[in-house]
Amino acid sequence: MFSKILIANRGEIAVRIIRACREMGIASLAVYSEADRAGLHVQLADEAACIGPPAAVESYLNMDRIIETARAFGAEAIHPGYGFLAENPEFARRCERAGIVFIGPNSRALELVGDKIRARQTMENSGIPIIPGMKHVAADFAECAAEARKIGYPVMIKASAGGGGKGMRIVCSEEELRPGLESGQREAKAAFGDESVYLEKYIEDPRHVEFQVLADNHGHIVHLFERECSIQRRHQKIVEETPSQALTPELRRRMGETARKALQVAEYNNAGTVEFLLDRNKKFYFLEVNARLQVEHPVTELTTGIDLVQQQIRIAAGEKLSLRQEDLVQRGHAIECRIYAEDPSRNFLPSSGKVLYLREPRGPGVRHDGGIYSGWEVPIYYDPILAKLIVWAETRDSACARMAAALDDYVILGISTTIPFLKDVISHPRFLEGATTTAFIKNHFENWREKEGPADGLTLALAAAALDELSPSRKVGKAAGLEKEVYSPWQMLGRWKIGEKP
Ligand code: MV4
């Protein structure tokens, strides 16, 4: 086993990985940019090293600097978390060459699954169902028009280097095809430096169901069941849960076996997620492989009892999986809500500033994976995820109730967050029914605004406590970025309000 791991990430996921290291008796080495000196991950790790300026390209994406740092501090392995370098085959290769273990898939498998067209070809050749459409880069308009006529409109243009919805276009008729193709290519070129696109049948209102898989370096592969991730806004997941309401035991078993096979034929190792689209007739199609630990991994941990980060580390160290598929079971129901520093009443505009007060919800079956603390300033340079709130309960209904109570118990003062929006999402009648498709947010929350109303007693009491902590002698006015030192509580606390519109 490794004695020290470098964690090439920040925020809640870096904290999550540090905890796994600590439990395994492995020293943790945090890295941070100049904007993250006060980061929670820096405080919690055993050691920490600054790797450069705030811009991610100069710090968290700086491959050479990170590998050098691992060498200098004697870390034998690097955990990339999610985002940044997590799915970068070049980084995995450089680690391999430097004799440092990349805690993730091998670089060849990363290359394969990162190329959506190659992945489609590989899956199709192994009998895995893919969405009908092209299996090579679209050569020109004529070829696309012919394919679209064959499979029937509506069709979807997708970027081969794709992901995150970039370069994707829905095309409903031949008239729309040329503009769709050209704008898709332009967007793909801008986002990935590669204008390759292809075309496939558009699946209307699908569910997004993904399977967690673990593959060791000795050919053993198990799946840890599904996560339902249909509640998304502009390809940003908001709420995830497991089990999915859409699967029967039989469908779950078939999809799970397909997910194992997908990673087997990709000669994949370590943790991975196989994404499927599920259509209205419950037909499933392979979509893509996410070659990383995912943001939503905790719902799988709570229902299977397996620590996915520890499994990743064990696999990377060359251990054989001790899990057997037939022993794995899902127990109860888990839901995750993502807490972002965004203002959901203002089109999810990123919200910056200082966390003046944080009260994390607690209680039986409540887990809070956070990267924040009272007094911490949210940097503007990175993804605005602050924390994840995850609950577990015996049934879906009780998990929904537990999530509602936990969100009510959750206080973040000083910045806008998605908490009020999440409260409305998880108490929506359609959500409570389990009727969650990828169109849910668009259909029910298009122009959502926070209900105005007087703050409750809890918020008032906490506001008073926060103000008391922020005494004038600490020059809070200036620290909070105000022109002059002012002690009006309304100015000190920024844009949040009690009863009154700002
Ligand atoms: C699709 C689709 C419908 N038909 N492909 C969105 C992200 C990218 N990874 C794949 N995505 C989709 N591909 C076909 N042929 C609908 C989506 C899609 C979606 C997929 C998963 C989760 C949320 C989504 C929201 C909108 C569209």
Side-chain angles (χ1 to χ4, degrees):
M1 185 45 67
F2 311 117
S3 52
K4 190 186 290 185
I5 292 176
L6 181 151
I7 296 143
N9 217 299
R10 61 182 301 284
E12 69 86 18
I13 198 63
V15 171
R16 167 72 188 87
I17 298 161
I18 291 166
R19 290 193 206 288
C21 290
R22 182 144 304 151
E23 289 173 26
M24 296 175 81
I26 299 168
S28 55
L29 167 61
V31 294
Y32 61 95
S33 76
E34 285 160 17
D36 272 340
R37 284 186 190 285
L40 188 59
H41 72 295
V42 177
Q43 296 175 14
L44 294 182
D46 296 311
E47 293 176 285
C50 183
I51 51 164
V57 287
E58 297 187 80
S59 50
Y60 299 106
L61 290 171
N62 188 337
M63 303 189 212
D64 289 334
R65 186 75 187 263
I66 291 168
I67 291 171
E68 261 168 44
T69 305
R71 275 230 182 89
F73 283 74
E76 306 113 297
I78 297 180
H79 196 307
Y82 53 69
F84 297 127
L85 297 169
E87 294 171 90
N88 188 317
E90 179 63 28
F91 184 61
R93 192 169 304 110
R94 287 201 208 176
C95 288
E96 286 159 14
R97 290 215 183 108
I100 288 167
V101 178
F102 175 77
I103 304 177
N106 65 83
S107 56
R108 286 179 54 84
L110 278 175
E111 233 151 36
L112 170 62
V113 302
D115 180 334
K116 308 300 163 198
I117 293 183
R118 261 184 78 203
R120 271 169 68 79
Q121 289 166 353
T122 307
M123 298 308 154
E124 157 128 294
N125 291 341
S126 310
I128 290 168
I130 61 167
I131 300 170
M134 291 163 64
K135 271 140 252 161
H136 50 261
V137 177
D140 54 20
F141 171 76
E143 193 193 9
C144 287
E147 180 73 22
R149 250 176 256 144
K150 193 175 110 201
I151 59 179
Y153 288 92
V155 297
M156 200 166 206
I157 313 269
K158 288 191 175 181
S160 184
K166 293 248 174 63
M168 265 176 35
R169 293 289 182 279
I170 301 167
V171 177
C172 294
S173 66
E174 193 158 324
E175 293 81 76
E176 291 174 23
L177 186 57
R178 197 183 288 276
L181 183 63
E182 284 169 3
S183 70
Q185 284 172 329
R186 253 196 320 273
E187 193 171 305
K189 175 89 184 160
F192 312 110
D194 175 359
E195 63 167 17
S196 307
V197 296
Y198 62 103
L199 188 143
E200 60 185 36
K201 179 79 190 154
Y202 177 61
I203 312 285
E204 266 169 279
D205 244 20
R207 284 185 183 245
H208 171 129
V209 179
E210 59 184 32
F211 273 72
Q212 176 68 56
V213 185
L214 291 173
D216 70 14
N217 301 347
H218 310 278
H220 302 295
I221 308 180
V222 296
H223 76 80
L224 284 80
F225 310 101
E226 80 278 14
R227 294 183 288 259
E228 158 89 51
C229 305
S230 296
I231 307 278
Q232 309 208 358
R233 186 190 160 270
R234 305 201 178 165
H235 306 296
Q236 175 101 279
K237 293 170 188 162
I238 297 176
V239 179
E240 304 99 346
E241 64 176 309
T242 188
S244 166
Q245 295 307 97
L247 304 194
T248 59
E250 153 66 9
L251 183 54
R252 176 172 295 115
R253 199 191 51 72
R254 277 181 20 232
M255 290 176 78
E257 287 313 306
T258 305
R260 286 170 85 179
K261 177 133 189 225
L263 291 204
Q264 188 200 340
V265 300
E267 297 182 33
Y268 191 99
N269 60 326
N270 216 284
T273 297
V274 181
E275 291 190 355
F276 295 102
L277 285 187
L278 193 61
D279 73 11
R280 289 189 183 124
N281 304 319
K282 302 264 170 110
K283 242 176 94 88
F284 67 87
Y285 304 92
F286 168 85
L287 197 57
E288 56 191 75
V289 175
N290 296 140
R292 59 175 184 273
L293 177 71
Q294 288 198 269
V295 177
E296 59 270 27
H297 75 276
V299 295
T300 299
E301 296 188 320
L302 294 185
T303 47
T304 61
I306 288 158
D307 186 311
L308 289 169
V309 181
Q310 292 198 23
Q311 289 294 329
Q312 284 192 294
I313 294 170
R314 291 187 194 290
I315 289 169
E319 288 185 18
K320 283 190 177 150
L321 271 178
S322 59
L323 309 167
R324 292 184 315 173
Q325 190 65 54
E326 60 270 29
D327 297 336
L328 293 167
V329 286
Q330 288 171 299
R331 179 156 182 261
H333 200 97
I335 305 176
E336 172 179 280
C337 285
R338 297 189 185 190
I339 317 301
Y340 287 98
E342 291 174 344
D343 187 341
S345 291
R346 296 185 182 185
N347 201 26
F348 293 81
L349 193 75
S351 162
S352 59
K354 192 177 230 169
V355 177
L356 291 176
Y357 189 84
L358 167 68
R359 202 179 84 139
E360 300 178 10
R362 301 170 180 245
V366 177
R367 167 171 164 181
H368 184 263
D369 278 20
I372 63 173
Y373 57 87
S374 295
W376 177 71
E377 190 129 6
V378 183
I380 56 164
Y381 301 96
Y382 316 108
D383 185 79
I385 194 162
L386 296 173
K388 297 165 338 199
L389 178 59
I390 314 106
V391 301
W392 178 92
E394 285 288 347
T395 65
R396 186 172 190 272
D397 284 349
S398 46
C400 288
R402 187 163 270 174
M403 179 59 85
L407 286 168
D408 279 341
D409 208 25
Y410 197 168
V411 183
I412 300 178
L413 298 182
I415 53 173
S416 295
T417 74
T418 46
I419 293 172
F421 182 75
L422 289 162
K423 287 181 187 175
D424 284 0
V425 168
I426 62 117
S427 58
H428 193 280
R430 293 276 96 72
F431 180 81
L432 294 173
E433 276 169 21
T436 48
T437 74
T438 50
F440 176 85
I441 295 294
K442 193 155 35 72
N443 288 349
H444 306 297
F445 288 85
E446 186 72 293
N447 282 306
W448 182 88
R449 285 287 174 279
E450 185 172 4
K451 285 180 214 78
E452 298 284 345
D456 59 21
L458 173 67
T459 309
L460 285 168
L462 288 166
L467 289 175
D468 190 48
E469 272 176 41
L470 302 169
S471 73
S473 61
R474 294 194 213 165
K475 301 198 184 213
V476 167
K478 268 194 187 145
L482 299 175
E483 287 293 315
K484 46 186 177 32
E485 289 181 35
V486 284
Y487 306 114
S488 153
W490 315 122
Q491 283 174 279
M492 285 165 64
L493 285 178
R495 226 188 55 71
W496 77 290
K497 67 269 173 194
I498 294 176
E500 214 175 37
K501 286 184 187 173

